[in-house]
Amino acid sequence: MEQPTAAAARRTARGGALLLAVLTLVPGCTAGLGGSGWTPGAAGVRDPYFPRLGNGGYDVTHYGLSLDVDSTAGRLSGTAVITARATQDLSAFNLDLTGLKVVSATVEGRPAAVNRAGSELTLRPDRAVADRLREGSTFRTVVRYAGSPRTVTDPDGSEEGWLRTAHGAVALGEPTGSMAWFPGNHHPGDKASYDVGVTVPEGRTAVSNGELTSRRTARGRTTFHWRVREPMASYLATVAVGRWTVRESATGNGLPVVTAVDPDVAGASAPVLARIPEVVAWGEKLFGPYPFSSAGAVVGRRGDAGYALETQNRPFFPGPPDTGLLVHELAHQWFGNSVTPASWRDMWLNEGFATYAEWLWSEDHDGVPVAESFGKAYADEANWAFPAARPPGAADLSRPPVYGRGAMVVHRIRQEMDDDEAFFGLVRGWLTAHRHGNASTADFTAYVGKESGLDLTEVWDTWLNGGSRPARG
Ligand code: TRP
Ligand code: ZN
């Protein structure tokens, strides 16, 4: 746990003194703001695995991030302009941030008092603007911050947050690492559009999600502006600073494809990255329109991270991926990035479908029938350690049942429907119904039951939620 900084303590003390002075001068002013209707937003949204992740009382609509990264990528200073809509009459609200120091904060242009406890920042707006945080209104918060961003170790021991690499750094955020590089509402349930500007020493490149809107060099520093138009969960946000070889191309439909590759692995990556347009076209045929306005990949060196991640538009790979992994991360653009879990308990909807996409690809391209992939997954003891939608703890979120058992649930639905056209139609319908939104396991089982017209109680009770391996369907 961190102690509040001395500066934050001073600001809070000053805010307190100011409040007292105002109360003394204007005796009637407690009405409204002091009234019981104005309450602080919750410090978390009670995610079953990360109860303090995210914050209540508001919805972020847009993040405007300006980051300045030094030559070692070991320090950054940033400004986050957060546009949000109050979902209650707010007297104060929280942001999630870990490690970095808060330099200053304003709400609606007036200095806000900041309190810090661990990775929770509490901002209390100045009285002069406090009535603007009424339910339904949009308000703007600006946080200036700086420091050495942290690498966060997950409950399962893997590393995320800010990862230093051979020539820079990469930010990865699943499930909680994004609070290591910007303050925000870091639960997947609160999606927003983003503008990310990153200033780096000339000669380095900063890659992020979305599309590059400008690039300017002045006095030995280059600023890259990236824009994400479609809603994005914060765990899918990334910046990658380094000596990237950037290539821009397009799919047959004119979808921009941007790849950024570490020169060390450029040769080895080229053949697989050349297949991005083919994989996207294949995905569109099965799953419907690609949900974002650009695609691509970032390929670092082996060792830059311990895993690949489906960062929006542009998945990150530590070293050249094989085709299966490319398919998996691109499938996440539909499953996870467009239709995002309502809570971390629903992560099997991401990984089950991304794994199923790998099975489908193998059948179409390598002659491995889906039934064979299913059989292998069924035989694998590791997939039966726990129910796909009930990982015992946060350390289990990326374990085999979430992937393999999740994919088996998808296949069991297909078997029960016994009509491939109807099954893929249902999958596309699901993606359309929740496009650019969030969905839970309950939403999914209700949708499948209703659209298929089948009673799938047995599939849910045994394959999804059951305690042990059921007899083969
Ligand atoms: N969700 C990622 C994928 O399936 C993998 C991943 C992200 C992961 N973070 C992790 C795996 C932590 C293990 C541990 O592509
Ligand atoms: Zn995955």
Side-chain angles (χ1 to χ4, degrees), residues 95-444:
L95 294 170
D96 303 318
L97 180 71
T98 187
L100 299 160
K101 294 272 184 296
V102 173
V103 177
S104 68
T106 64
V107 175
E108 289 289 89
R110 305 272 301 191
V114 181
N115 242 306
R116 188 150 192 182
S119 53
E120 296 291 337
L121 295 183
T122 302
L123 277 72
R124 183 171 291 275
D126 188 276
R127 283 190 75 82
V129 294
D131 62 343
R132 297 202 204 160
L133 277 64
R134 189 179 290 282
E135 180 176 356
S137 12
T138 295
F139 63 98
R140 180 179 282 207
T141 302
V142 179
V143 181
R144 290 181 204 285
Y145 59 101
S148 299
R150 277 187 186 164
T151 299
V152 176
T153 302
D154 284 343
D156 66 8
S158 62
E159 294 193 326
E160 55 165 328
W162 191 262
L163 305 174
R164 304 283 288 278
T165 61
H167 357 98
V170 60
L172 299 178
E174 189 180 35
T176 68
S178 290
M179 65 173 83
W181 62 282
F182 67 97
N185 195 13
H186 287 295
H187 190 270
D190 190 358
K191 298 166 75 167
S193 57
Y194 285 68
D195 277 280
V196 180
V198 191
T199 303
V200 295
E202 190 174 359
R204 304 286 166 91
T205 301
V207 179
S208 186
N209 313 89
E211 295 83 51
L212 186 69
T213 57
S214 72
R215 167 197 183 133
R216 281 192 199 97
T217 299
R219 282 173 278 110
R221 316 265 305 155
T222 307
T223 302
F224 296 82
H225 277 115
W226 294 85
R227 173 164 297 163
V228 182
R229 292 173 170 81
E230 298 90 6
M232 178 166 77
S234 78
Y235 78 92
L236 299 167
T238 186
V239 289
V241 175
R243 299 191 189 283
W244 303 109
T245 302
V246 178
R247 291 247 139 74
E248 290 174 51
S249 61
T251 66
N253 299 341
L255 178 77
V257 176
V258 177
T259 58
V261 182
D262 185 299
D264 256 31
V265 295
S269 305
V272 65
L273 295 185
R275 300 192 75 173
I276 291 173
E278 177 193 352
V279 176
V280 170
W282 174 84
E284 290 197 304
K285 203 171 56 151
L286 290 173
F287 310 135
Y290 179 79
F292 304 117
S293 37
S294 66
V298 178
V299 185
R301 296 187 190 181
R302 267 175 280 275
D304 281 355
Y307 52 85
L309 185 64
E310 63 265 27
T311 41
Q312 195 149 310
N313 308 89
R314 210 151 284 119
F316 178 83
F317 300 95
D322 61 22
T323 314
L325 187 57
L326 179 71
V327 167
H328 180 104
E329 304 305 343
L330 293 183
H332 274 309
Q333 305 303 314
W334 285 265
F335 301 103
N337 300 11
S338 172
V339 181
T340 302
S343 88
W344 285 113
R345 175 166 284 167
D346 309 308
M347 188 169 142
W348 77 274
L349 287 168
N350 291 9
E351 303 306 343
F353 273 105
T355 302
Y356 199 66
E358 290 181 67
W359 295 1
L360 292 167
W361 177 273
S362 291
E363 179 167 273
D364 287 353
H365 299 83
D366 311 320
V368 181
V370 168
E372 193 177 315
S373 299
F374 178 92
K376 265 205 195 122
Y378 181 85
D380 186 348
E381 214 55 66
N383 284 326
W384 299 103
F386 53 81
R390 284 286 181 281
D396 305 303
L397 287 172
S398 286
R399 284 182 55 202
V402 176
Y403 289 70
R405 188 164 170 180
M408 283 188 273
V409 169
V410 174
H411 192 60
R412 286 291 297 114
I413 297 165
R414 182 177 173 185
Q415 287 179 326
E416 291 298 319
M417 289 180 71
D418 196 26
D419 176 344
D420 278 358
E421 219 166 293
F423 167 77
F424 284 104
L426 178 142
V427 171
R428 285 190 290 272
W430 165 250
L431 291 167
T432 305
H434 296 282
R435 182 177 167 89
H436 297 158
N438 292 90
S440 66
T441 302
D443 293 330
F444 181 73

